[in-house]
Amino acid sequence: MMTAPDAVQSSPSLALSFLSDLTPPSLERTWLTAPHPTLPLVATCSSDKTVRVYSLVNFRLLSTISGGHKRSIRTCAWKPNVSGESVLATGSFDATVGIWRRWDNYGEEANLAQGNKNTKNLGAEEDCEEDEDDEWRFAVLLDGHDSEVKSVSWSASGMLLATCSRDKSIWIWEDLDDGDNNFETVAVMQEHEGDVKCVAWHPAEECLASGSYDDTIRIWREDIDDWGQVACIKGHAGTVWGIDWEDTENVPFPSTSNGVSGQEEEWKTWHALSGSRLVSCSHDQSVRVWRRQPKAQLNTAGTSSIPSIIRPSGTDETWEEDVVLPHAHELPIYAVAWSRRTGLLASVGADGRIVVYEERFVSSHPEPQAMNSDEVSPDLGEGVCAPHPPTEWSIVAVVNGAHGIYEINHVAWAKRADRCRDGNKEEEVLITTADDGSIKVWTLTR
């Protein structure tokens, strides 16, 4: 039997604590919470056909967006690199994707904390509805999928939008940014053999990952003018429900308070070669981390002899399992989130449990090993590979029954400016979203 939400198990150095609910909650199932890329805001999408925008300063509802979709809104995402306005993409079970615009942003954290003119009284539902038309506009409807849209994701540049569906397809749309809300279909990929559950763009590259009911993860890149699959990652024994990318600057925690000499720099060298790792979670109750195997390009005469990391034209990338995280869930895992700030991982699922994992360097260091001829050796010469400094993952915090008896559908890391702390100092919080319509905010402290 699940314990109460405040029953927390953690390591001596970390504690996961309940901070607040976002109020008022939805009266129906909430599917996902999308943190704003720069402001202390989140958007949540619900079975009641709305998206609600909340402040992470006072935890109150700022806007309720409705009227664009005919069925449950399953997913939403903020467009990055936007100034002077806010842009949201939404995906619905009605098989459409909506683009919403608000002609000014929500302002600075200080204004949010004081409750500016955009902040609604918690009891004034009628006022919320009355003011909505002055805030958000349903700018465009993207129509193309044949069935429920399950996930949407903006590229780092904000110019490309990826969407996926129960119809087994992935669409990539380009925002032409011409002032007329025009989007162009760039690609339609149909290699998945089942319902595509999730899509996620690389944090710095135009590289897309997807997870599916067919138990696979697929990696997509553009080659000249054509998008195509460059890797099909197999390893899960069930539906891949969620994926997320590691930050490009991530470094594991030191194994001791004094760190381990040389490991951080060596890690950065290898991280630059192989690129950001990918984490996935599945119906098989496992969380797995994947790493791309670097490739060396043979240089033509007259060019530098230093190998470069590229995708050879027409050749698949090789992705390998880096680690299976410690088992912590007893039912399917629906979502996983990789903190861009700390490198911590969080997972949630059908068992109502929140689990946080930490990666640390270990002091032992294996000897150099033989490598394939096409692998990159940054320091030791041809045919010898210095493995990245060894790391190990451990569970550092667990909350059982975080939303009572209800399944948790999503987890996300978000930034928050705490007005009760020093100045405008930001902290990172964890947001969980559940079947009962509740959205909870958690803090993790050392």
Side-chain angles (χ1 to χ4, degrees):
M1 183 174 179
M2 294 181 180
T3 56
D6 59 351
V8 177
Q9 305 168 22
S10 65
S11 72
S13 60
L14 289 173
L16 185 63
S17 305
F18 173 73
L19 182 59
S20 178
D21 286 294
L22 298 184
T23 56
S26 171
L27 298 179
E28 299 185 32
R29 173 185 292 161
T30 45
W31 288 105
L32 174 146
T33 298
H36 191 282
T38 58
L39 294 173
L41 304 170
V42 295
T44 67
C45 47
S46 170
S47 290
D48 67 4
K49 308 174 191 175
T50 70
V51 172
R52 295 177 178 227
V53 179
Y54 295 91
S55 165
L56 288 181
V57 176
N58 55 27
F59 309 115
R60 295 191 173 202
L61 179 68
L62 299 178
S63 302
T64 301
I65 306 169
S66 62
H69 292 290
K70 298 177 181 178
R71 294 183 62 192
S72 173
I73 300 178
R74 176 65 178 83
T75 179
C76 65
W78 298 89
K79 182 179 179 180
N81 298 317
V82 177
S83 60
E85 66 173 336
S86 299
V87 181
L88 267 171
T90 55
S92 170
F93 282 178
D94 66 11
T96 65
V97 175
I99 304 297
W100 303 79
R101 294 184 182 275
R102 188 178 186 276
W103 302 122
D104 60 282
N105 59 32
Y106 280 96
E108 300 299 325
E109 291 90 339
N111 292 330
L112 291 172
Q114 295 170 1
N116 64 16
K117 63 180 181 180
N118 296 318
T119 304
K120 308 299 187 300
N121 184 292
L122 295 185
E125 288 295 328
E126 293 182 1
D127 292 340
C128 289
E129 294 175 1
E130 183 178 343
D131 292 344
E132 281 166 18
D133 290 341
D134 295 330
E135 295 184 357
W136 286 93
R137 296 287 187 275
F138 192 49
V140 63
L141 187 73
L142 302 180
D143 194 0
H145 286 292
D146 294 329
S147 188
E148 301 168 357
V149 176
K150 295 299 182 68
S151 178
V152 298
S153 178
W154 293 96
S155 65
S157 68
M159 299 309 297
L160 297 176
L161 176 68
T163 64
C164 66
S165 168
R166 188 178 180 181
D167 64 14
K168 307 179 185 179
S169 74
I170 299 166
W171 289 55
I172 297 179
W173 316 77
E174 181 180 3
D175 184 350
L176 299 181
D177 199 23
D178 56 4
D180 293 325
N181 295 311
N182 287 321
F183 281 73
E184 179 180 342
T185 303
V186 173
V188 178
M189 288 95 77
Q190 297 177 302
E191 279 80 352
H192 275 295
E193 298 174 0
D195 181 347
V196 187
K197 299 294 187 182
C198 51
V199 285
W201 286 100
H202 187 284
E205 304 172 12
E206 288 191 350
C207 172
L208 183 69
S210 59
S212 170
Y213 185 82
D214 65 12
D215 305 350
T216 70
I217 302 159
R218 298 180 192 243
I219 309 295
W220 314 85
R221 291 184 189 268
E222 185 179 23
D223 186 4
I224 307 178
D225 292 324
D226 188 23
W227 281 85
Q229 176 183 300
V230 297
C232 179
I233 304 172
K234 299 179 180 180
H236 282 294
T239 300
V240 179
W241 286 103
I243 52 177
D244 198 14
W245 290 93
E246 175 186 31
D247 186 69
T248 55
E249 303 297 325
N250 178 56
V251 176
F253 288 92
S255 58
T256 66
S257 59
N258 296 324
V260 179
S261 177
Q263 284 188 320
E264 182 172 328
E265 290 306 314
E266 191 175 348
W267 175 271
K268 290 179 179 179
T269 298
W270 270 94
H271 200 274
L273 291 172
S274 62
S276 296
R277 293 172 294 174
L278 187 69
V279 65
S280 60
C281 62
S282 169
H283 199 85
D284 66 10
Q285 303 171 23
S286 73
V287 177
R288 298 168 187 262
V289 177
W290 311 90
R291 179 192 292 276
R292 184 182 63 167
Q293 177 63 60
K295 298 287 183 181
Q297 180 192 23
L298 295 178
N299 292 276
T300 58
T303 61
S304 170
S305 61
I306 299 175
S308 61
I309 307 305
I310 67 167
R311 175 171 65 89
S313 180
T315 303
D316 286 348
E317 297 178 353
T318 299
W319 284 75
E320 300 173 343
E321 187 176 275
D322 195 52
V323 66
V324 180
L325 269 59
H327 180 78
H329 290 277
E330 304 304 326
L331 290 172
I333 306 172
Y334 292 147
V336 63
W338 205 325
S339 169
R340 301 284 172 87
R341 177 169 299 182
T342 64
L344 294 169
L345 278 171
S347 61
V348 296
D351 59 7
R353 184 174 296 163
I354 306 171
V355 182
V356 180
Y357 314 81
E358 181 181 72
E359 183 180 26
R360 285 185 175 271
F361 288 122
V362 294
S363 56
S364 60
H365 201 307
E367 295 297 322
Q369 61 189 25
M371 67 183 238
N372 297 327
S373 59
D374 60 351
E375 293 178 2
V376 173
S377 172
D379 298 314
L380 301 181
E382 184 177 359
V384 179
C385 176
H388 71 70
T391 63
E392 61 182 5
W393 288 87
S394 60
I395 296 170
V396 293
V398 177
V399 178
N400 293 308
H403 288 254
I405 63 172
Y406 295 96
E407 295 186 353
I408 305 177
N409 295 314
H410 191 258
V411 63
W413 298 96
K415 61 179 64 176
R416 173 177 182 248
D418 191 339
R419 57 180 168 166
C420 297
R421 297 197 176 187
D422 298 335
N424 292 321
K425 181 180 178 182
E426 290 182 344
E427 66 172 324
E428 191 171 46
V429 293
L430 203 60
I431 315 290
T432 53
T433 309
D435 270 2
D436 63 346
S438 64
I439 311 102
K440 295 184 181 292
V441 184
W442 309 83
T443 59
L444 190 67
T445 55
R446 287 188 184 277

